[in-house]
Amino acid sequence: MLEPIKENWRILLLVVVVIGATVALFAPGFGPEPAPGEDASEAREGITNLQYGLDLAGGTRIRAPLSGYTATDVAFGGDSPATVAEAVAAELDNASARNVGAVPGERAVEVTEPSVTEDQFRRAMDASGYEYADVRSGVTQETRDETMNVIQGKINEAGLSGGSVQQVQSITGEYFILVEVPGEGRQDVVDLLEERGTVRIDIAYADGNETAVDEGVLVQENFDEIGTATQSDQGTGSYVPVTVRSTDESGQSPANNFQDAVVERGFPDAYNTRADRCEYVNGSLTGERNPCLLLVVNDEVVNSFGMDSGLADSMGAGSWAETGRFRLTTGEFSEAQTISLNLRAGALPADLDISGEGTSSSISASQGENFRTYSLVIGILSVFAVAGMVFLRYREPRVALPMIVTALAEVYALLGFAALLGYPLELAVIAGFIAVVGTGVDDLVIIADQVMSEGDVSSRTVFDSRFRQAFWVIGAAAATTIIAMSPLMVLSLGDLSGFAIFTILGVLVGVLVTRPAYGDILRRLLTVR
């Protein structure tokens, strides 16, 4: 029973890989995660779990540098980063310490205020007394990393499936932030990147016959943990669960301050039963005129709400500040998404300079669909072309047919990897697949030629000897390809990394799985003992 398995384990491994690829491609659990509020069926494109990048789905690509200047090799002299930043900012009339950063790990000082010129920054560095080597355009690596995190947060919170952000470097050494968002127009993406959404909590309360408002009892910096937008399980409406900081950078307690403000405005007394309501219409309290919490987004009141009686009791008892947890409620799920996005992402640490020519491009959805069709047609034509040449060369189906099937299994396995990893397919990735087909068939031809070059093969011993000779050649070629492609995979070169990744994956799958499996198939077909 074990002997057939032992002799054919390479073929069985190929079958397992194909089955695994099928599961990754078609099983619902391996599809892209739906965005909050998005139906799972909407997140899945077509019948497979494959995700398509900008080239094949349409959308917007923005490639732009970050505005700013950086002084390099700065001698901090033992001063703290805050001290250095304040000293340099004090010499700039049009920037504050908030726009100046000192990064000891990079021995750099940067300014991110767009209105500051290079000459002004040089004079400020000279006047501050800190020695430095030079001033260059651009910002530090730390700021670039933070910018990418913020942009990715904006993309994720906005529910833009397949959106990505990465850092790329030009041949001149300049760094760019590359943002790709499939299915979205250019202006929508630019608005998302430039938006500085502000969220705050105000308290509206009765002051005699008038309605007074305490503004900013909670602001964005006061929130510690921000949950994702969630549909309410009690009927209509949505909410964002948040936790207020117990201590901020100045040593104050936003949670205690908020609790004191709520108690002072009478929430515990007004909301001692679940029947109590908040009514705030057109800037005024109505009905019972109970105090209201106002959720203000971009200076516009998007919702007013009272307080759960249990929460009000804990506020009155002074125990709520120990946890600082509550919910920001809204009427619409889209509003909850906006609130979560603004609280999590906020503004970019440096401005993206998207004013220059060639910094962005858009591909319509119809163009993306055409590119997908053309890619499929080209892939099919390449398979038929390779298959035709193989049959013309060998004129023997038992040699040529397994060769074609094995090569197709290799591409199928790569598609499974793409679905499993959630890697978006781009034109460069499709080019990698085509390259894999070509190199894969080349290797299989080497195997077939080496095995059959010296006449008929009737002995397994002879077959194995010739196969090992061919496999050494294939292994050396595979190692060369991996070494040559590795720099493209790790360097920030945009689409070329996808081409390199899947070419290397294809070579590894070929050497470890498909070439040995083809050897076993060929041995079974050509030998008799």
Side-chain angles (χ1 to χ4, degrees):
M1 172 112 181
L2 294 177
E3 191 63 26
I5 296 178
K6 183 178 179 181
E7 290 184 357
N8 301 292
W9 69 269
R10 297 178 183 86
I11 299 175
L12 293 175
L13 179 60
L14 177 60
V15 172
V16 169
V17 169
V18 170
I19 292 174
T22 302
V23 172
L25 281 168
F26 299 103
F30 290 89
E33 290 293 327
E38 180 184 23
D39 185 79
S41 61
E42 295 176 356
R44 180 168 167 158
E45 295 190 34
I47 61 174
T48 71
N49 293 324
L50 290 172
Q51 296 187 53
Y52 300 106
L54 185 69
D55 293 338
L56 302 181
T60 297
R61 176 185 288 115
I62 291 179
R63 177 180 177 272
L66 291 171
S67 299
Y69 295 98
T70 299
T72 59
D73 294 328
V74 179
F76 283 61
D79 291 344
S80 68
T83 300
V84 175
E86 290 173 0
V88 176
E91 303 298 332
L92 293 167
D93 296 331
N94 49 348
S96 64
R98 177 181 165 191
N99 305 118
V100 178
V103 185
E106 300 182 44
R107 297 183 61 200
V109 175
E110 65 182 355
V111 59
T112 56
E113 170 56 50
S115 62
V116 174
T117 65
E118 182 178 346
D119 288 340
Q120 289 174 332
F121 185 49
R122 285 183 182 275
R123 289 196 295 269
M125 287 297 302
D126 293 336
S128 68
Y130 293 100
E131 296 182 0
Y132 64 98
D134 196 10
V135 170
R136 61 170 175 80
S137 296
V139 296
T140 61
Q141 182 64 50
E142 182 178 282
T143 298
R144 291 194 293 271
D145 290 340
E146 183 181 352
T147 300
M148 288 192 293
N149 289 335
V150 170
I151 293 175
Q152 191 64 59
K154 286 175 175 285
I155 290 172
N156 293 342
E157 288 301 313
L160 302 179
S161 178
S164 65
V165 55
Q166 60 180 306
Q167 174 183 273
V168 296
Q169 187 177 11
S170 68
I171 57 175
T172 61
E174 185 177 7
Y175 288 95
F176 294 85
I177 301 297
L178 177 64
V179 182
E180 296 183 338
V181 184
E184 295 293 321
R186 179 186 183 279
Q187 192 56 51
D188 291 335
V189 176
V190 171
D191 290 344
L192 176 69
L193 297 178
E194 294 184 340
E195 179 183 13
R196 177 58 171 110
T198 59
V199 179
R200 72 173 191 267
I201 301 293
D202 296 348
I203 294 179
Y205 62 95
D207 183 11
N209 294 326
E210 302 295 325
T211 298
V213 177
D214 289 338
E215 293 188 353
V217 291
L218 281 178
V219 295
Q220 280 171 289
E221 292 75 14
N222 298 149
F223 294 102
D224 187 15
E225 297 179 8
I226 300 101
T228 57
T230 305
Q231 293 279 9
S232 175
D233 54 4
Q234 299 177 352
T236 59
S238 304
Y239 64 88
V240 178
V242 297
T243 301
V244 181
R245 294 181 185 276
S246 57
T247 307
D248 61 17
E249 296 178 355
S250 64
Q252 299 292 317
S253 175
N256 277 310
N257 293 341
F258 179 58
Q259 180 175 261
D260 293 343
V262 165
V263 172
E264 181 182 353
R265 296 309 176 193
F267 279 79
D269 293 333
Y271 296 97
N272 51 25
T273 72
R274 292 188 178 275
D276 295 326
R277 294 173 54 192
C278 156
E279 298 180 59
Y280 182 82
V281 181
N282 296 328
S284 299
L285 296 173
T286 60
E288 297 295 325
R289 306 195 73 217
N290 290 325
C292 290
L293 294 176
L294 306 181
L295 181 57
V296 184
V297 178
N298 296 334
D299 296 323
E300 180 181 351
V301 177
V302 298
N303 197 21
S304 58
F305 47 94
M307 187 171 289
D308 179 82
S309 58
L311 179 60
D313 288 343
S314 65
M315 291 276 195
S319 59
W320 173 83
E322 296 176 4
T323 62
R325 296 191 184 97
F326 75 110
R327 294 175 174 181
L328 301 179
T329 61
T330 66
E332 299 292 336
F333 183 79
S334 59
E335 292 176 350
Q337 283 184 302
T338 300
I339 292 163
S340 181
L341 168 64
N342 290 332
L343 286 176
R344 285 171 175 267
L348 300 180
D351 289 345
L352 274 173
D353 183 10
I354 57 178
S355 58
E357 294 183 5
T359 59
S360 64
S361 60
S362 297
I363 298 175
S364 68
S366 59
Q367 281 182 297
E369 187 174 352
N370 287 337
F371 288 158
R372 289 205 299 272
T373 302
Y374 298 153
S375 299
L376 179 61
V377 170
I378 291 172
I380 293 174
L381 289 177
S382 65
V383 169
F384 276 113
V386 171
M389 292 302 299
V390 168
F391 275 102
L392 284 175
R393 175 176 177 80
Y394 293 103
R395 301 180 185 277
E396 196 170 346
R398 65 174 180 165
V399 174
L401 189 58
M403 188 179 295
I404 299 303
V405 172
T406 305
L408 291 178
E410 194 170 310
V411 175
Y412 189 74
L414 289 182
L415 289 173
F417 273 116
L420 182 64
L421 300 175
Y423 198 100
L425 297 184
E426 302 274 6
L427 290 177
V429 175
I430 301 299
F433 285 178
I434 294 175
V436 165
V437 171
T439 58
V441 172
D442 282 346
D443 290 346
L444 299 179
V445 167
I446 291 173
I447 293 173
D449 281 359
Q450 182 66 33
V451 168
M452 302 171 63
S453 62
E454 299 179 14
D456 292 337
V457 180
S458 59
S459 169
R460 292 192 177 187
T461 303
V462 173
F463 180 95
D464 290 342
S465 175
R466 295 178 182 178
F467 177 78
R468 280 194 294 270
Q469 294 176 16
F471 203 78
W472 276 111
V473 176
I474 293 170
T480 302
T481 302
I482 292 173
I483 292 172
M485 289 290 177
S486 293
L488 296 180
M489 183 176 67
V490 298
L491 294 178
S492 301
L493 296 176
D495 291 345
L496 287 178
S497 62
F499 172 79
I501 288 171
F502 280 89
T503 301
I504 290 175
L505 274 176
V507 169
L508 291 174
V509 170
V511 170
L512 300 177
V513 181
T514 57
R515 278 50 151 188
Y518 177 71
D520 280 0
I521 294 171
L522 202 60
R523 183 179 60 193
R524 291 180 63 85
L525 294 173
L526 297 180
T527 63
V528 295
R529 65 181 184 275

